[in-house]
Amino acid sequence: MADNYVGLIVLEINGTDYEVSSVEPSLKTGRTVVKTMNRTGRATGTAKGIEEHELKISVPIPKTGEPDWRALLDAKLTIYPQDGGSKRQTWTGCSLMEMGSKYQLEGEATRDLTIAALNYYTE
């Protein structure tokens, strides 16, 4: 019996689907180690921090009709498997932090977007 895994995904920004080459979501928990003076000479615990959500997205550059990525502010991003079978992942309060371009010898030219999000949940 073969295992089934999530394959291709669809990226939706404010209800509009976008063609993407890659999406790399990441989470920083913000937790920190609490160092105290004790007999063991080790840290004894952690303190809760503020979560940070970041998405690195690569999109192919179209010849015409490229979206104004600079205007991406307080957006809702959702990714979900194209073939179903898994929960949607949604980030809200998304804003563009960085934008770069990549031109290669072989392959398409891409925009590399770094997006910060305020909230994350699954549907």
Side-chain angles (χ1 to χ4, degrees):
M1 181 165 172
D3 292 330
N4 292 323
Y5 298 100
V6 174
L8 300 175
I9 57 107
V10 175
L11 172 69
E12 185 179 282
I13 302 176
N14 291 335
T16 304
D17 290 353
Y18 288 91
E19 302 291 328
V20 294
S21 301
S22 69
V23 178
E24 299 176 36
S26 66
L27 163 70
K28 293 180 186 172
T29 62
R31 292 187 187 107
T32 58
V33 174
V34 177
K35 298 177 183 177
T36 59
M37 290 187 276
N38 56 42
R39 291 185 185 275
T40 63
R42 299 188 320 235
T44 56
T46 59
K48 186 176 179 179
I50 297 173
E51 286 189 350
E52 296 178 38
H53 299 278
E54 183 178 278
L55 294 101
K56 293 184 186 247
I57 301 172
S58 291
V59 297
I61 301 172
K63 288 185 178 180
T64 59
E66 181 176 13
D68 183 10
W69 295 114
R70 293 181 192 193
L72 187 68
L73 184 65
D74 197 29
K76 177 182 175 183
L77 275 72
T78 303
I79 62 172
Y80 53 93
Q82 192 174 24
D83 56 356
S86 183
K87 294 184 177 181
R88 292 174 174 235
Q89 297 179 16
T90 301
W91 292 265
T92 57
C94 297
S95 301
L96 180 70
M97 302 303 287
E98 289 184 38
M99 180 173 67
S101 301
K102 186 187 308 180
Y103 306 97
Q104 306 176 77
L105 178 63
E106 293 185 19
E108 71 277 355
T110 59
R111 294 269 186 245
D112 296 323
L113 311 172
T114 302
I115 297 172
L118 301 178
N119 193 19
Y120 166 80
Y121 57 92
T122 57
E123 302 179 280

